[in-house]
Amino acid sequence: MTELPVPAGSGLKLGAITSGVSEDLEESLKVLVGKGLRYAELASVWGIDVGHHDEEQVGAIVDMIRRHGCTVPAVSPRSFYELPILDTTAESPAYLDDFETLKRAIDLAKRLGTDIVRAMPFQRPSVIFGSGGAERFLAHQNRLWAALLKLYEGPVAYAEGQGVVIAVETGCDTMVSSCSLAARMARDIASDSLRIMWDTGNNVYSTERQFPDGYEAVRDYLVHVQVKDVRVDLVNASIEFCPLGEGDLADQLAPLADALRADGFDGVVSLENVYRPPGMTAAESFTKSVDTFVAVFG
């Protein structure tokens, strides 16, 4: 595997998801480097999700990353995100298609010198472990979790054979909507090839406090952190993205950064800019969060 340049420095490794600045990779990398962020997480490039680029496009991506002196800490396809857990089996055509996308993303990751590839943990009706009759009336006969573990057997076995790590991202509308559930999944699967990509903003809706509770739950399985801020109105089922430090995570970001430093976290902390106020481009909205991100986590 070809090793790409690793930024110098003794603090946390900071980066951003490139499409949160621009779908034009060249433009995005220029902005990141200008802010001192040389870790470029790839999720979508030129409007195409990773795992769907052709060979010519892959070659161009690899070349641009090298020319800008950046390192790719993780390749983040959307595999298994839109698949409903109750209607999906290991033989479902959509599952097989997403598995192939994951394999292509793994190939891209190897070309880029990283062993971390994101995957998503399926759409959920609800994750409830029922008892006293609740398993019958509210928890789908407790089938959901077993189904999740079964559907991950193939991807984890493939990752083990490829020498890579599947980093399952926490997501509010998926089967792993909290750090507690992410840790449970990692414990139950019990493979070094399955770890956690923690998206702090995605878990607020679960009512789990991200620091210290979320961090304490997931710290032993953590390989990559995505940071964004949100405002949640649970009663009205509402989530609003906002500039970093202006939402529900405002008082938790600095303590989290301190804890990551104290624990010697060796992964990358990546700014995910998904804040999109009306009339503002991604590059413009990126400026509303990046300086706070660097000040807190740098």
Side-chain angles (χ1 to χ4, degrees):
M1 185 183 299
T2 302
E3 292 293 333
L4 299 180
V6 177
S10 57
L12 292 172
K13 301 172 186 175
L14 303 188
I17 300 176
T18 61
S19 53
V21 179
S22 174
E23 287 287 350
D24 182 327
L25 184 59
E26 190 87 45
E27 176 186 354
S28 182
L29 293 176
K30 288 179 181 177
V31 172
L32 295 190
V33 171
K35 289 293 185 179
L37 305 175
R38 292 186 177 269
Y39 287 95
E41 181 181 347
L42 301 181
S44 175
V45 177
W46 306 308
I48 303 169
D49 291 339
V50 291
H52 293 282
H53 294 96
D54 62 29
E55 182 56 34
E56 182 179 355
Q57 292 167 329
V58 167
I61 289 170
V62 173
D63 178 65
M64 285 184 199
I65 293 293
R66 287 184 173 138
R67 281 195 290 105
H68 286 276
C70 291
T71 296
V72 173
V75 171
S76 298
R78 291 169 60 84
S79 293
F80 313 131
Y81 175 60
E82 296 181 350
L83 304 185
I85 190 72
L86 284 175
D87 299 325
T88 302
T89 70
E91 291 76 38
S92 298
Y95 172 84
L96 295 173
D97 285 346
D98 275 18
F99 198 165
E100 289 302 313
T101 298
L102 180 66
K103 291 177 180 178
R104 291 191 296 270
I106 288 172
D107 290 340
L108 174 62
K110 289 184 171 184
R111 290 276 296 273
L112 291 165
T114 182
D115 62 355
I116 296 176
V117 182
R118 178 183 73 177
M120 304 299 286
F122 300 88
Q123 291 289 307
R124 64 182 173 92
S126 60
V127 180
I128 299 172
F129 301 98
S131 61
E135 71 280 3
R136 177 181 177 188
F137 294 104
L138 297 179
H140 302 278
Q141 304 292 336
N142 287 345
R143 291 180 294 141
L144 301 186
W145 198 254
L148 172 66
L149 301 182
K150 182 69 176 177
L151 288 167
Y152 257 84
E153 287 180 358
V156 170
Y158 185 81
E160 289 171 344
Q162 294 293 312
V164 300
V165 173
I166 292 178
V168 175
E169 181 178 335
T170 56
C172 70
D173 55 347
T174 73
M175 288 290 294
V176 177
S177 57
S178 68
C179 286
S180 176
L181 286 173
R184 179 170 183 156
M185 182 179 182
R187 287 193 301 270
D188 288 353
I189 289 179
S191 169
D192 290 340
S193 289
L194 184 131
R195 288 294 181 262
I196 301 302
M197 179 180 288
W198 179 24
D199 187 322
T200 55
N202 283 352
N203 294 350
V204 176
Y205 195 78
S206 73
T207 74
E208 179 183 61
R209 187 167 175 81
Q210 293 305 281
F211 189 86
D213 301 351
Y215 179 62
E216 289 296 330
V218 82
R219 64 195 300 178
D220 290 342
Y221 308 103
L222 192 59
V223 293
H224 187 80
V225 180
Q226 294 176 345
V227 174
K228 61 174 177 272
D229 210 345
V230 300
R231 301 186 187 105
V232 167
D233 179 353
L234 193 61
V235 173
N236 291 297
S238 170
I239 303 175
E240 177 188 5
F241 291 142
C242 60
L244 197 67
E246 297 183 15
D248 294 346
L249 288 172
D251 65 336
Q252 300 169 54
L253 296 173
L256 169 59
D258 289 342
L260 289 168
R261 293 188 197 98
D263 286 347
F265 177 63
D266 192 42
V268 169
V269 182
S270 188
L271 175 60
E272 181 183 14
N273 177 47
V274 283
Y275 172 53
R276 295 290 186 277
M280 191 176 290
T281 66
E284 290 168 340
S285 67
F286 184 76
T287 66
K288 303 297 182 182
S289 293
V290 64
D291 291 340
T292 298
F293 175 69
V294 172
V296 172
F297 290 93

